[in-house]
């Protein structure tokens, strides 16, 4: 097998497959939701007939455990706003309901070199993305009477090291008090949400906590055909570590799963919001679509009874931040899987760890990619050498193979038997050049997903004109250099196949790949370019060694 050319050919097919697969997803009339979702007709809230900002919609899907009268109703007015700033977050809490209606990530720019910080949550006309939580049930404060309107101590809070607690207080007619406390920690993207319920009434009270994420459908980006990214919901539960749940699927399939572990989330390429419930009780994951435009996914706790004169505490955690695998893994099991490396996750994760390690030494992600390429090529070098030696031996057998063809003519069975005998006598493996190809392609694809999904590479500078390794080269210099290196590799290759069609294909392959790579992340093009340059150096070294042994490498 002419392995280097086969690598290019199969890689071309893989790229074509990615394009076709993305096109199929984008143009399909619909996809099936997870088999664990419960089918039902979507209950819709009243459509907003005017252009006012949509407020919090109903919380949970129809279910016998949550009577219709105990579901929270839509907010009609915004309450007092409380702004909280930490070193990494700038959030706004609406006292009417105690929802987080805005969240900026202070360590991340909205775009390259922008002064604006990345806005994860927002409440804008036509673009709603908020994190809600409340207490429902027979005595809930967010039931048919409307959302609880909390009183606050001040409108602005700033975290100056350590931790910061922001209390919101609600007092009912019988003197019972509910305090909703948001806890922030320096350097952390998670917010602990705690309800302290003090029952001053004469009767026991029953309440349920719910936390949900609400987002306007079709408000986000799904990437491009070359760089597809996922925009939508995802969740985890006892029987499934990670499951994507497209926003469009919510219109046809409602989520209704009982679980002791897990979480619910909304994903936006490099960033994620997630409600993480207590993991030691039977919670229920749910979803619904409100007003045909608002996608809702959430979690609801079991009923809690607060006896007269007693105090109960209900806790949950909200994550608002980047897809930082280490931070998310430390927070709850499987949340780091929102960094979706696809079916090659088992290979992508160690590649990312290697990248992380090398970057911690050289302090530059571009240099880390180059060093990772060197490591990969060094590990594969014994196989690469065996590949070229096998190719050279196969070439030396060409006269004998030609003689066998002339001898047996069209008798394929005898011809096959004779060739296998010849391979055995000459100690040649006809498939000896395949293994490096089979190893390099998964590595290439795994690195593709690492560079596409890892937030660490967002806006990461390399050198000179490469200011963002996660996006295409603005001047297309790397793709052109990569195409030139492929052309040089072809010139160094042994005598090409006699098939005119294949000759034409391989001649145009550098041009075709250059066009494809114009739109690839510059970090991936850098990897491919460096890989080609190392391959050229290895080819020259191996060919020189074979020629010293009298082996005609190129067949010329």
């Amino acid at each position: 097998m002419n392995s280097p050319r086969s690598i290019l050919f199969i890689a071309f097919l893989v790229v074509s497959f990615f394009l076709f697969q993305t096109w199929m997803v984008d143009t399909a009339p619909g996809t099936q939701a997870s088999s664990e979702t419960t089918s039902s007709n979507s209950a819709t809230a009243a459509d907003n007939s005017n252009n006012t900002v949509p407020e919090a919609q109903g919380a949970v899907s129809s279910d016998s455990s949550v009577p219709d009268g105990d579901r929270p109703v839509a907010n009609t007015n915004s309450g007092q706003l409380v702004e909280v700033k930490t070193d990494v977050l700038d959030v706004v809490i609406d006292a009417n309901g105690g929802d987080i209606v805005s969240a900026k990530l202070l360590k991340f720019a909205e775009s390259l070199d922008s002064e604006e910080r990345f806005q994860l949550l927002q409440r804008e006309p036509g673009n709603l993305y908020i994190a809600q939580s409340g207490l429902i049930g027979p005595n809930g404060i967010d039931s048919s009477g409307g959302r609880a309107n909390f009183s606050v101590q001040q409108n602005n809070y700033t975290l100056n090291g350590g931790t910061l607690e922001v209390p919101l207080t609600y007092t009912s007619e019988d003197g019972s008090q509910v305090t909703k406390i948001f806890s922030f920690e320096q350097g952390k993207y998670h917010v602990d949400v705690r309800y302290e319920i003090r029952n001053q009434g004469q009767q026991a009270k029953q309440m349920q906590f719910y936390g949900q994420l609400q987002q306007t459908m079709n408000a986000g980006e799904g990437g491009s055909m070359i760089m597809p990214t996922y925009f939508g919901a995802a969740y985890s539960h006892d029987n499934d570590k990670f499951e994507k749940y497209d926003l469009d699927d919510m219109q046809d399939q409602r989520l209704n799963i009982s679980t002791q572990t897990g979480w619910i989330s909304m994903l936006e390429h490099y960033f994620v919001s997630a409600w993480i419930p207590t993991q030691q009780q039977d919670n229920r994951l749910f979803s619904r679509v409100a007003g045909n435009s608002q996608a809702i996914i959430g979690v609801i706790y079991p009923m809690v009874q607060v006896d007269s004169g007693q105090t109960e505490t209900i806790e949950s955690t909200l994550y608002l931040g980047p897809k930082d695998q280490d931070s998310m893994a430390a927070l709850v099991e499987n949340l780091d899987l929102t960094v979706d490396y696809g079916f090659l996750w088992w290979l992508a994760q160690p590649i990312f760890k290697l990248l992380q390690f090398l970057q911690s030494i050289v302090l530059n992600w571009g240099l880390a990619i180059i060093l990772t390429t060197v490591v990969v090529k060094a590990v594969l070098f014994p196989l690469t050498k065996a590949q070229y030696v096998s190719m050279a031996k196969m070439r030396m057998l060409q006269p004998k193979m030609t003689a066998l063809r002339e001898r047996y003519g069209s008798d394929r069975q005898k011809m096959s038997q004779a060739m296998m005998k010849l391979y055995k006598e000459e100690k040649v493996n006809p498939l000896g050049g395949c293994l490096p190809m089979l190893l390099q392609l998964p590595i290439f694809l795994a690195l593709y997903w690492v560079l596409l999904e890892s937030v660490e590479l967002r806006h990461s500078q390399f050198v000179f004109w490469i200011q963002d390794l996660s996006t295409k080269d603005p001047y297309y210099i790397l793709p052109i250099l990569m195409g030139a290196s492929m052309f040089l590799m072809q010139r160094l290759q042994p005598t090409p196949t006699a098939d005119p069609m294949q000759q034409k294909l391989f001649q145009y392959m550098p041009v075709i790949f250059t066009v494809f790579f114009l739109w690839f992340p510059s970090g991936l093009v850098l990897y491919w370019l460096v890989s080609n340059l190392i391959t050229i150096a290895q080819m020259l070294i191996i060919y020189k060694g074979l020629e010293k042994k009298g082996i005609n490498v190129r067949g010329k």
Side-chain angles (χ1 to χ4, degrees):
M1 176 177 289
N2 199 347
S3 186
R5 300 178 187 277
S6 299
I7 292 175
L8 297 180
F9 178 69
I10 295 178
F12 171 72
L13 295 180
V14 170
V15 172
S16 301
F17 170 75
F18 271 129
L19 295 176
F20 174 74
Q21 186 181 50
T22 306
W23 176 80
M24 289 291 289
V25 172
D26 290 341
T27 57
T31 55
Q32 295 296 323
S34 169
S35 60
E36 301 199 50
T37 57
T38 304
S39 176
S40 64
N41 294 326
S42 297
T44 60
D47 292 329
N48 294 312
S49 57
N50 52 31
N51 293 325
T52 58
V53 179
E55 300 290 338
Q57 307 291 336
V60 295
S61 56
S62 298
D63 188 273
S64 59
S65 65
V66 185
D68 289 340
D70 291 328
R71 280 194 262 158
V73 298
N75 278 343
T76 56
N77 296 292
S78 174
Q80 187 174 355
L81 300 180
V82 180
E83 184 177 12
V84 184
K85 282 189 176 182
T86 73
D87 57 328
V88 296
L89 289 173
D90 181 358
V91 305
V92 175
I93 303 170
D94 190 342
N96 188 14
D99 301 329
I100 296 182
V101 297
S102 175
K104 290 184 178 181
L105 309 184
L106 301 181
K107 298 293 185 181
F108 295 88
E110 186 71 34
S111 58
L112 185 63
D113 298 328
S114 171
E115 293 296 326
E116 288 294 322
R117 299 297 89 186
F118 183 80
Q119 183 99 34
L120 181 62
L121 302 185
Q122 58 189 322
R123 186 169 64 181
E124 300 294 339
N127 189 11
L128 179 72
Y129 183 10
I130 59 179
Q132 302 168 280
S133 57
L135 297 175
I136 57 176
N139 307 109
I141 60 176
D142 296 289
S143 298
S144 56
R147 304 297 304 283
N149 196 7
F150 292 92
S151 61
V152 298
Q153 297 177 358
Q154 58 192 70
N155 294 332
N156 293 280
Y157 290 84
T158 302
L159 174 63
N160 295 312
T163 60
L164 170 67
E165 290 195 342
V166 178
L168 285 70
T169 305
Y170 173 83
T171 303
S172 62
E173 294 180 355
D174 64 0
S176 296
Q177 190 175 78
V178 175
T179 304
K180 186 174 186 177
I181 303 171
F182 293 87
S183 297
F184 299 83
E185 187 176 348
Q186 185 174 11
K188 303 297 183 181
Y189 288 97
H190 67 270
V191 182
D192 292 325
V193 181
R194 182 173 81 252
Y195 279 89
E196 294 181 355
I197 308 166
R198 183 177 293 107
N199 184 4
Q200 300 294 347
Q202 299 299 316
Q203 304 294 325
K205 295 182 182 293
Q206 291 184 321
M207 302 181 185
Q208 282 181 286
F209 168 85
Y210 78 91
Q212 68 182 26
L213 300 168
Q214 180 176 353
Q215 186 170 25
T216 302
M217 302 175 70
N218 303 319
E221 296 293 334
S224 63
M225 294 186 71
I226 294 293
M227 296 175 59
T229 57
Y230 179 73
F231 173 83
Y235 60 90
S236 175
H237 59 96
D238 291 341
N239 300 320
D240 198 336
K241 294 181 179 180
F242 174 70
E243 182 71 28
K244 289 181 179 179
Y245 187 36
D246 192 271
L247 298 183
D248 292 334
D249 291 338
M250 292 187 188
Q251 293 180 316
D252 303 317
Q253 302 286 332
R254 281 190 179 177
L255 187 66
N256 187 9
I257 297 176
S258 179
T259 179
Q260 285 193 342
T261 63
W263 39 264
I264 57 94
S265 68
M266 290 283 191
L267 311 182
E268 185 178 344
H269 197 180
Y270 295 115
F271 306 98
V272 58
S273 61
W275 275 110
I276 305 166
T278 303
Q279 304 285 296
Q280 292 84 30
Q281 60 189 17
D282 289 326
N283 303 311
R284 183 163 61 83
L285 311 184
F286 66 85
S287 71
R288 69 188 295 264
V289 174
N292 287 326
S293 64
Q294 303 298 317
I296 298 172
I297 186 169
V299 58
I300 185 170
Y301 282 13
M303 195 75 71
V304 172
Q305 179 167 306
V306 186
D307 294 329
S308 177
Q310 299 299 310
T311 299
E312 293 289 342
T313 300
I314 302 176
E315 298 177 326
S316 189
T317 299
L318 175 65
Y319 182 84
L320 302 169
K323 292 182 179 179
D324 185 314
Q325 297 181 58
D326 295 335
S327 297
M328 293 189 295
L331 195 58
V332 66
E333 189 175 10
N334 300 323
L335 187 59
D336 58 320
L337 297 182
T338 54
V339 182
D340 186 12
Y341 291 143
F343 70 97
L344 289 173
W345 60 268
W346 51 272
L347 183 58
Q349 287 183 347
I351 288 178
F352 175 73
K353 293 296 183 183
L354 176 62
L355 269 173
Q356 261 190 328
F357 172 73
L358 294 174
Q359 192 275 339
S360 67
I361 297 175
V362 299
L363 304 179
N364 183 293
W365 284 101
L367 293 178
I369 291 173
I370 293 175
L371 292 177
T372 299
T373 310
V374 173
V375 171
V376 170
K377 298 297 289 187
V379 171
L380 295 178
F381 180 73
L383 296 175
T384 302
K385 183 177 180 180
Q387 163 191 338
Y388 286 107
V389 171
S390 176
M391 289 166 55
K393 289 183 178 180
M394 287 291 293
R395 191 169 297 108
M396 293 176 63
L397 292 180
Q398 287 300 317
K400 294 182 179 181
M401 294 176 65
T402 301
L404 290 177
R405 292 190 184 95
E406 293 175 353
R407 179 178 178 181
Y408 293 105
S410 60
D411 192 335
R412 295 185 178 181
Q413 183 176 359
K414 290 185 178 180
M415 175 65 183
S416 178
Q417 292 175 349
M419 290 179 65
M420 294 302 296
K421 182 178 180 182
L422 177 63
Y423 293 149
K424 186 175 182 180
E425 291 174 350
E426 299 292 339
K427 298 181 180 180
V428 174
N429 181 4
L431 300 179
C434 294
L435 187 56
M437 175 188 64
L438 296 177
L439 290 177
Q440 290 181 58
L441 280 178
I443 291 173
F444 169 77
L445 296 178
L447 188 60
Y448 170 83
W449 287 111
V450 167
L451 297 179
L452 191 65
E453 281 285 304
S454 299
V455 68
E456 289 81 359
L457 275 79
R458 182 180 186 265
H459 299 169
S460 293
Q461 182 181 358
F462 176 36
V463 291
F464 306 122
W465 73 99
I466 303 296
Q467 300 295 312
D468 188 354
L469 288 165
S470 67
T471 61
K472 67 180 182 180
D473 184 335
Y475 302 112
Y476 308 114
I477 296 175
L478 286 180
I480 293 173
L481 292 176
M482 188 277 304
S485 68
M486 289 182 65
F487 178 77
L488 180 58
M489 284 177 62
Q490 283 195 347
R491 299 293 295 176
L492 293 174
Q493 291 298 319
T495 304
T497 176
D499 188 336
M501 181 65 71
Q502 291 189 32
Q503 287 185 9
K504 287 286 185 182
L505 178 62
F506 291 130
Q507 286 175 2
Y508 287 109
M509 192 69 73
V511 177
I512 295 172
F513 262 68
T514 299
V515 173
F516 273 128
F517 275 68
L518 291 176
W519 314 107
F520 271 43
S522 54
L524 184 68
V525 184
L526 176 64
Y527 164 79
W528 194 266
L529 170 61
V530 175
S531 178
N532 285 352
L533 295 177
I534 296 175
T535 298
I536 290 171
Q538 290 179 337
M539 288 169 59
L540 294 175
I541 293 172
I542 295 171
Y543 285 169
K544 186 176 181 179
L546 292 175
E547 287 171 353
K548 285 183 178 180
K549 295 180 180 180
I551 299 177
N552 185 6
V553 176
R554 305 191 191 186
K556 294 181 179 179

